[in-house]
Amino acid sequence: MNEFVEQLAICVERGKVNKDAPYPPDLKGQDGADELAKKALDQGLKPDTILDGCILGMDRIGTKFSENKAFVPELLMAAKAMTAAMQHLKPYFQSGEVKRKGTFVIGTVAGDLHDIGKNLVAMVAEGGGFEVIDLGNDVSTDKFLAAIKEHPGCIVGMSALLTTTMVNMEGTIKAIKEQYPDTMVIIGGAPVTQSFADKIGADGYSPDPQGAVALLNKKVA
Ligand code: B1M
C-alpha cells in the first residue's frame, strides 16, 4: 500500500486530525489526516485511493469499537480526522459538475448521527450533476416531507448506520409514498440490504455512492 494511504489510515484510526492537534499525544507534531490527504493529492494519488485509506482507518477503529477496545470519544476523533481529509477530496468528487440533472434530497434517518457515508453520497451525486439538498443527520419524517414539498419532483435518499435506526426508514417511506406517491426513494448505509429495501417499499438500494448515482441517472434518463 502507498505510504501516504497507510499513514492516512493510521491517522483516521487514531483520530489525528492535523499537525497542530495535541491528540493523540504520541503523534504530537506529526502530520495528521488533513496534511496527509493534501500531500497524497499533490503526489498524484487518485481521490478514490485516498478515500480507501480513510475507510480502512474507519474500519479498523470500528472493529476495535465492536471488540470493546475503543470507545465513543475515539470514534468521534476518527470521524473528525476523516472529515478533515474529505475536505481535500470534496472538489474532486464534485468536479464532474455539469448541467443539473435533477434534485436529490438526502439525509440520515431519525435517531442516527452518522453522516460520513451520507456526505460521500451527497458529494458524488453533486459531482454526477445533481443539485443536492443535504438535510443533515437525525432527519425526521416531517423534515423529509417539507423538503419534498419545497423541491417538487426531487429524488430522496436516506442513509442509516444503525440496525436500530434503519427501521425508521420504513415509516418515513410510508409517509412519503402517502403524500407524494411518485417520489423515488433510495436507501443505503452499512446495515441496509436489497432485501430490506424491498421489504420496506424503497425504490432502490445501493451499497455505495456510485451505485446510488447510477440509480439517480436511471430515474432521470
Ligand atoms: Co457509530 N456505530 N455509533 N459512531 N460508528 C457504527 C456504525 C458500528 C457498526 C460500530 C461497531 O459496533 N462496530 C455500530 C453500529 C452497530 C449496529 O447497529 N449494527 C455503532 C454504534 C453502536 C454507535 C453508537 C450506538 C455507540 C454508542 O453511543 N454506544 C452511537 C450511535 C449514535 C447515533 O447515531 N444515535 C454511535 C456514534 C458514533 C459517532 C458519533 C461517535 C461516530 C459518527 C460520527 C459521524 O458520522 N459524524 C461513529 C462512527 C465513526 C462509527 C464507525 C466507526 C464508522 C462509520 C463511518 O463513518 N464509516 C462505524 C463502524 C464502521 O463502519 N466500521 C460505527 C465510513 C463511511 C464512509 O461508511 O457510513 O457505511 P458508511 O457509508 C458507506 C456505505 O454504507 C454507503 O456509502 C458509503 C461509502 O461507501 N452509504 C450509502 C451510506 N449511506 C448511503 C446512502 C445511499 C447509498 C449508499 O443511498 C441513499
Side-chain angles (χ1 to χ4, degrees), residues 2-3 5 12 14-15 30 52 59 68 76 78 105-106 112-113 120 122 126 157 159 167 172 175 196 199 201 216:
N2 176 282
E3 171 204 348
V5 175
V12 170
R14 303 285 319 279
Q30 293 184 28
D52 285 346
D59 279 346
N68 285 325
L76 276 173
V105 167
I106 186 166
D112 200 322
L113 302 178
L120 277 171
E126 206 167 348
S159 178
V167 292
T172 303
F196 177 72
K199 186 173 151 252
L216 299 184

Side-chain angles (χ1 to χ4, degrees), residues 119-182:
N119 293 344
L120 277 171
V121 177
M123 276 182 211
V124 176
E126 206 167 348
F130 288 83
E131 180 190 7
V132 174
I133 310 295
D134 187 346
L135 302 179
N137 59 16
D138 190 14
V139 181
S140 65
T141 299
D142 284 350
K143 208 166 168 192
F144 275 111
L145 291 172
I148 299 167
K149 189 175 179 191
E150 201 180 323
H151 304 280
C154 67
I155 303 168
V156 173
M158 285 178 212
S159 178
L161 261 285
L162 299 171
T163 44
T164 48
T165 57
M166 64 190 265
V167 292
N168 296 337
M169 289 173 159
E170 185 168 10
T172 303
I173 291 177
K174 196 164 172 266
I176 291 174
K177 294 293 178 184
E178 270 166 21
Q179 291 196 33
Y180 304 99
D182 295 335

Side-chain angles (χ1 to χ4, degrees), residues 62 65-66 75 111-117 159 161-163 188-190 206-207 209:
F65 181 77
S66 51
L75 289 192
D112 200 322
L113 302 178
H114 297 86
D115 65 0
I116 296 175
S159 178
L161 261 285
L162 299 171
T163 44
S206 168

Side-chain angles (χ1 to χ4, degrees), residues 3-32:
E3 171 204 348
F4 283 118
V5 175
E6 178 52 32
Q7 282 302 317
L8 197 50
I10 292 170
C11 284
V12 170
E13 179 187 355
R14 303 285 319 279
K16 175 72 176 166
V17 179
N18 58 33
K19 197 167 188 166
D20 294 338
Y23 179 86
D26 62 306
L27 299 183
K28 204 173 166 189
Q30 293 184 28
D31 280 346

Side-chain angles (χ1 to χ4, degrees), residues 156 158 173 184-188 192-194 197-198 201-206 215:
V156 173
M158 285 178 212
I173 291 177
M184 177 186 186
V185 182
I186 66 169
I187 64 172
V192 178
T193 59
Q194 182 67 59
D198 295 340
D203 300 295
Y205 156 76
S206 168
L215 291 171

